[in-house]
Amino acid sequence: MNAQKNPADRLQSALAERFGAQFAVDPGLPGLDELARMAEHRSHRKFSDRVVEPAVLRLLFACALSAPSKSDLQQADIVHVADRAKVKAIADSIPDMPWIADAPVVLVFVANNRRIRQIGEWRGKPFANEHLDHFMNAAVDAAIVMATFIRAAEAVGMAACPVSHVRNHPHELSRMLELPEAVFPVAGLCAGYP
């Protein structure tokens, strides 16, 4: 980010760099600072040794889980992989991404189809949604939560990089993370201070 420029100039510069085109930006438009931060977004794969405090991480989780969800069903969860042996196992399963092992924070965003089934069971209602739409709703909710986590992390000076490769071996990862039936990994995310 370039703190020396005003938000309109930052936004124009970031968009020109990314898209190779000029965008007209009204300097009076509300929210330009946030739009500039969004356009300046970059994925980071190298992190400093600075520890991410548990209270900050908890705050970021709360902000991320405040994201919109399909029918307010809350079908997404965040698994914080704090066990460094599990982080190493994940990194070892993705040999072309060794930087995962060094990330201060490793998360897996999961779609939770289990929660709606449990609610039905508790209320004596049949689960009548055994179709692709149910899967898609949960997967999209997990992606929205991950995107919201990234925005929240960047707001506090952190950086992140999504890891879609976790979907390549979902059964192994689900076993390692002890995910219950009907809860499945959508994406990993490495985060920390750049």
Side-chain angles (χ1 to χ4, degrees):
M1 281 190 261
N2 187 342
Q4 289 77 25
K5 292 183 180 179
N6 69 50
D9 289 343
R10 285 175 42 218
L11 180 58
Q12 285 179 315
S13 178
L15 293 175
E17 180 184 343
R18 186 174 298 268
F19 296 106
Q22 295 300 315
F23 289 79
V25 177
D26 176 355
L29 187 67
L32 285 179
D33 194 48
E34 178 64 14
L35 293 177
R37 279 195 301 272
M38 292 171 75
E40 292 167 340
H41 165 80
R42 300 292 185 268
S43 290
H44 290 266
R45 293 169 182 86
K46 292 183 181 178
F47 304 98
S48 74
D49 292 336
R50 182 176 169 191
V51 172
V52 178
E53 294 298 327
V56 171
L57 202 52
R58 185 172 186 255
L59 177 65
L60 298 178
F61 291 156
C63 290
L65 291 167
S66 296
S69 68
K70 198 280 186 208
S71 300
D72 197 26
L73 294 174
Q74 307 297 318
Q75 297 178 98
D77 292 308
I78 306 167
V79 177
H80 178 203
V81 186
D83 180 335
R84 295 315 289 185
K86 288 183 180 182
V87 169
K88 183 180 180 327
I90 292 170
D92 288 349
S93 76
I94 310 171
D96 57 337
M97 297 182 188
W99 51 269
I100 293 171
D102 298 326
V105 175
V106 175
L107 307 172
V108 177
F109 291 80
V110 300
N112 187 335
N113 283 158
R114 181 174 180 247
R115 186 170 291 125
I116 190 69
R117 296 165 199 256
Q118 285 181 308
I119 292 169
E121 284 176 28
W122 294 337
R123 297 202 172 135
K125 304 282 184 185
F127 180 75
N129 292 322
E130 201 64 67
H131 48 75
L132 186 59
D133 187 53
H134 185 66
F135 165 84
M136 292 297 293
N137 289 335
V140 169
D141 278 2
I144 292 169
V145 167
M146 182 178 72
T148 304
F149 180 92
I150 293 168
R151 297 299 313 135
E154 289 177 349
V156 299
M158 291 173 58
C161 183
V163 181
S164 62
H165 194 286
V166 301
R167 291 190 302 273
N168 291 2
H169 304 286
H171 299 294
E172 292 83 353
L173 184 61
S174 293
R175 276 193 295 278
M176 179 193 311
L177 299 179
E178 301 175 29
L179 299 179
E181 186 177 338
V183 176
F184 55 93
V186 172
L189 186 80
C190 293
Y193 294 97

